[in-house]
Amino acid sequence: MVHSISRPQNCVVCRKELAKELARDSDGIHQECPRCGEFKVVDAALHSLEDGLREELRTKVSGWVFEQFRAGGIPVITKSNLKQIFTRPIPSVEERAMRLLVEASRNLEHLGAYINLQASRFEVSTYSSKREDVDYLLVVLEEQNLVNCTTSRGDYEITPAGYRKLDELSTPSPASSRGFVAMWFAEELNSVYSDGFEAGILRAGYDSLRIDKAEHINRIDDEIIRQIKASRFVVADFTGHRGGVYFEAGYALGLNLPVIWTCKKDHMQDLHFDIRQFNCIDWESPGELAERLTMRIEAVLGPGPNKSLV
């Protein structure tokens, strides 16, 4: 039985904000936090997020949730992907500074608008556990002439050089750590995504994204195109033979992005003849899919920047 709770509860991820609890049942919890964004945690992973969790690990989880939510998904924290999140490194100082610049550019009324950087989203988007970290990242941006402090209240503005840097960051980059998953959004495949696709991509050292709920003002197909352009590779799963998956895989090929082809074994016989020429991972279970996907990604692309050395 699902219980909807309107009274705010402590966010189980960051423990720093009161979150709206959207649902709670025997499978886990669904919350919307003003700091982390909207997310779900399966019951088996909840005990790992209890109060004794080290601040560094909590910062990693909070940053990962925010990043996934910002990209248009509702992340699901499972016991499997939580282990991968714990072992991945915090982004470099330079990368965190660029994340701050990107977050500062969101929802500006006009070019040169003043930005108040006190909101908690600037901490979580940069994997910062304290406000002092954000202040230091601002120094990094100022030294590169990407932002200027413009008022005595501490407001900032993005400089012309900053906008040029934002243009650079918005173009497809071979250094991206993201794998875009194109798949059928059937409820029975939710566990396949979290325990198969996401787990396999995380183990290979990359981030996983699928757009099943778009938190943006763009058309959904426009947002999908934007996210594919920002990805390092695409995983296309043809289980259910959805037309959108064929389109997204074809679009990625047009961008010369690597595409990794997958399909549930009992759906293989219905693959379109154009797809049968590719080496497709024919999976039967999420665990098998995760293992084979990790090996395929590392064989094609090499280990990602978040690959654990532990």
Side-chain angles (χ1 to χ4, degrees), residues 1-144:
M1 180 177 179
V2 176
H3 300 279
S4 297
I5 304 173
S6 58
R7 184 170 60 86
Q9 308 287 315
N10 282 331
C11 174
V12 298
V13 171
C14 70
R15 299 288 185 178
K16 293 185 176 183
E17 301 276 0
L18 290 176
K20 182 179 180 182
E21 192 164 288
L22 303 177
R24 181 192 289 267
D25 58 24
S26 59
D27 293 327
I29 190 170
H30 184 182
Q31 288 189 329
E32 184 175 7
C33 171
R35 178 186 178 93
C36 303
E38 186 177 348
F39 61 89
K40 299 176 182 179
V41 185
V42 302
D43 187 66
L46 278 171
H47 75 279
S48 298
L49 295 173
E50 292 176 352
D51 289 334
L53 185 64
R54 296 203 321 267
E55 185 176 53
E56 177 190 4
L57 298 181
R58 194 172 296 282
T59 298
K60 289 181 179 182
V61 181
S62 184
W64 178 83
V65 166
F66 181 86
E67 186 176 352
Q68 295 284 306
F69 180 70
R70 264 287 188 241
I74 300 178
V76 179
I77 300 175
T78 66
K79 190 173 181 180
S80 174
N81 67 20
L82 192 58
K83 181 179 179 181
Q84 301 299 320
I85 295 167
F86 282 164
T87 58
R88 63 189 293 180
I90 292 284
S92 68
V93 171
E94 180 67 16
E95 184 179 347
R96 291 167 67 192
M98 294 305 107
R99 289 171 185 262
L100 178 58
L101 181 65
V102 170
E103 188 63 30
S105 71
R106 290 183 177 273
N107 303 320
L108 293 181
E109 294 182 0
H110 56 81
L111 296 176
Y114 292 162
I115 310 161
N116 187 311
L117 296 173
Q118 298 301 313
S120 62
R121 64 188 176 100
F122 297 109
E123 290 183 27
V124 67
S125 65
T126 58
Y127 287 79
S128 299
S129 59
K130 297 181 176 60
R131 175 65 209 181
E132 289 79 5
D133 292 346
V134 177
D135 293 338
Y136 186 85
L137 296 174
L138 281 169
V139 173
V140 175
L141 293 178
E142 285 184 288
E143 285 186 347
Q144 298 180 48

Side-chain angles (χ1 to χ4, degrees), residues 152-173:
S152 59
R153 297 176 303 174
D155 292 334
Y156 282 78
E157 68 175 357
I158 299 174
T159 66
Y163 284 108
R164 288 194 292 271
K165 173 59 73 173
L166 286 166
D167 286 341
E168 291 178 18
L169 294 172
S170 67
T171 58
S173 169

Side-chain angles (χ1 to χ4, degrees), residues 68 176-182 193 197 201 206-210 227 230-235 297 301:
Q68 295 284 306
S176 172
S177 64
R178 179 181 299 164
F180 184 93
V181 180
Y193 174 74
F197 293 108
I201 292 171
Y206 296 90
D207 293 312
S208 173
L209 172 69
R210 71 170 184 174
Q227 295 297 347
S231 298
R232 177 69 179 85
F233 62 94
V234 168
V235 176
I297 292 170
L301 301 166

